[in-house]
Amino acid sequence: MVRVPLTEAERARGERLGAVLREARGARSMVEVAAEAGISVETLRKIETGRIPTPAFFTVVAVADAVGLPLEALRGAVPTG
């Protein structure tokens, strides 16, 4: 299966999502947040750096919950179009 390359807008949106989640994590370790969210540290690292620009919705919800970030805050911080 061949993946369609991401557009610049998709790449930028993924980087912004990662930055917002990383900022919300604050001083907490990636290990702590990943464990609380039920994902691997590597997955969290990839999301935070934008290497997974379109993570699954439930993964985003789990990370947001783990860092205490309401989904409404993401809605305003990460452009959708």
Side-chain angles (χ1 to χ4, degrees), residues 34-58:
E36 190 172 331
I39 62 173
S40 71
V41 175
E42 185 59 23
T43 296
L44 180 58
R45 180 177 293 112
K46 287 178 180 179
I47 291 169
E48 286 190 357
T49 60
R51 287 179 45 215
I52 300 178
T54 56
F57 175 75
F58 294 106

Side-chain angles (χ1 to χ4, degrees), residues 5-19:
L6 296 171
T7 66
E8 284 301 315
E10 290 169 328
R11 197 170 289 117
R13 186 175 58 230
E15 289 171 359
R16 180 68 186 138
L17 172 64

Side-chain angles (χ1 to χ4, degrees), residues 17-76:
L17 172 64
V20 169
L21 292 173
R22 185 173 49 250
E23 183 179 327
R25 179 168 58 84
R28 292 178 63 193
S29 75
M30 290 182 101
V31 172
E32 179 184 349
V33 171
E36 190 172 331
I39 62 173
S40 71
V41 175
E42 185 59 23
T43 296
L44 180 58
R45 180 177 293 112
K46 287 178 180 179
I47 291 169
E48 286 190 357
T49 60
R51 287 179 45 215
I52 300 178
T54 56
F57 175 75
F58 294 106
T59 302
V60 174
V61 170
V63 175
D65 283 347
V67 296
L69 183 66
L71 289 181
E72 190 61 31
L74 283 176
R75 183 177 181 192

